Amino acid sequence: MTNPNLHEDDKKQSCRTSGTQEFLRSLQLNAWLAVSAATYVATLFLNRRHPGWSPAWKATVALMPILPGLLYLRNGMQLLRQMDELQRRIQVEAWLFAALGTVVVSTIINVFNGQGLNGNWPAHGLEIGGTYMTMFLMWSVGVTIAKLRYR
Amino acid sequence: MKNRLKELRAERQWSQGALAEKLGVSRQTINAIETEKYDPSLPLAFKISVLFKQPLERIFEPGQT
């Protein structure tokens, strides 16, 4: 009488649909992050190619990745509001993990630099591009952990 | 928190996907509630209660998760 395995096709279809939606959602969420990373690479290239630019202009160019970064945040908040409560919790946990993880990585690099240790880490901290990349990596790890937890 | 969601769903021969659609949540949410890995919010718990026409305390009961 009680058969929780009924409608297997329905379940499979549902899994496929939610998987595709999840992929599209992740793509949408991270589109502005990709734009930020691309902008960062472009600003590095521009500032190195034009060493004669005024400091004010160099600073303006260097801060350009902030704009798509803010749009990424806005997009993230909008998507967060559209999610159901479990998905929202997963994302919030992942974001918290990403934020704290980035703080830890940034602190470690700064401590190493402060101690005069030379290694393969950035000499001036994470900078904009490194911060975005670290946050993205930490967010991916956070989402994976949270999904495994609620699977 | 323990719950009888899986039992109630099976009685009505609904799939997790179908129940998720009726409640406006993802299938993963239904699965997480059924496996007691996630406790639903009060609004969602009331939605479940209304859908199954059962009082909250007959669907959910306190317990370690």
Side-chain angles (χ1 to χ4, degrees):
Chain A
M1 196 170 80
T2 57
N3 184 0
N5 295 321
L6 282 167
H7 307 297
E8 277 302 321
D9 289 343
D10 184 20
K11 270 188 186 176
K12 283 173 191 166
Q13 181 61 39
S14 174
C15 286
R16 273 197 296 271
T17 310
S18 79
T20 310
Q21 281 172 347
E22 204 172 300
F23 174 73
L24 289 172
R25 191 181 288 153
S26 295
L27 203 67
Q28 196 182 350
L29 183 66
N30 291 301
W32 281 115
L33 188 65
V35 174
S36 296
T39 311
Y40 174 68
V41 172
T43 56
L44 278 182
F45 175 78
L46 281 172
N47 272 339
R48 281 180 190 164
R49 200 176 165 98
H50 302 281
W53 277 352
S54 70
W57 183 239
K58 272 189 167 181
T60 307
V61 171
L63 286 172
M64 277 181 145
I66 294 284
L67 190 64
L70 290 173
L71 291 169
Y72 170 59
L73 280 179
R74 192 197 66 159
N75 199 18
M77 294 303 287
Q78 281 176 345
L79 283 169
L80 207 62
R81 276 186 229 115
Q82 291 166 9
M83 290 173 184
D84 83 338
E85 56 184 64
L86 179 61
Q87 303 299 327
R88 197 178 304 137
R89 177 182 278 205
I90 288 171
Q91 288 300 328
V92 168
E93 284 181 9
W95 272 94
L96 192 64
F97 184 85
L100 293 176
T102 307
V103 167
V104 169
V105 171
S106 181
T107 304
I108 289 170
I109 290 173
N110 284 332
V111 166
F112 282 176
N113 287 339
Q115 295 296 318
L117 295 166
N118 295 317
N120 288 326
W121 50 84
H124 304 290
L126 284 176
E127 296 183 358
I128 294 176
T131 303
Y132 287 172
M133 284 300 132
T134 308
M135 279 200 87
F136 176 71
L137 286 174
M138 292 286 176
W139 172 83
S140 305
V141 173
V143 165
T144 306
I145 292 170
K147 279 188 176 176
L148 286 173
R149 194 174 159 199
Y150 295 113
R151 194 168 61 177
Chain B
M1 199 161 65
K2 291 180 178 177
N3 69 76
R4 293 174 52 229
L5 196 62
K6 189 172 183 177
E7 183 191 326
L8 293 167
R9 177 176 65 78
E11 278 173 11
R12 284 154 184 80
Q13 301 189 345
W14 291 342
S15 67
Q16 285 186 341
L19 178 58
E21 204 172 310
K22 288 174 200 295
L23 293 169
V25 296
S26 66
R27 195 193 60 80
Q28 191 187 6
T29 302
I30 299 299
N31 186 57
I33 295 170
E34 283 186 358
T35 53
E36 293 169 5
K37 287 177 181 167
Y38 174 69
D39 292 333
S41 66
L42 203 51
L44 180 57
F46 272 112
K47 264 187 171 183
I48 293 168
S49 167
V50 168
L51 183 69
F52 288 111
K53 297 184 178 74
Q54 302 239 4
L56 273 182
E57 61 271 23
R58 287 195 63 189
I59 303 174
F60 300 98
E61 60 179 84
Q64 286 186 331
T65 54

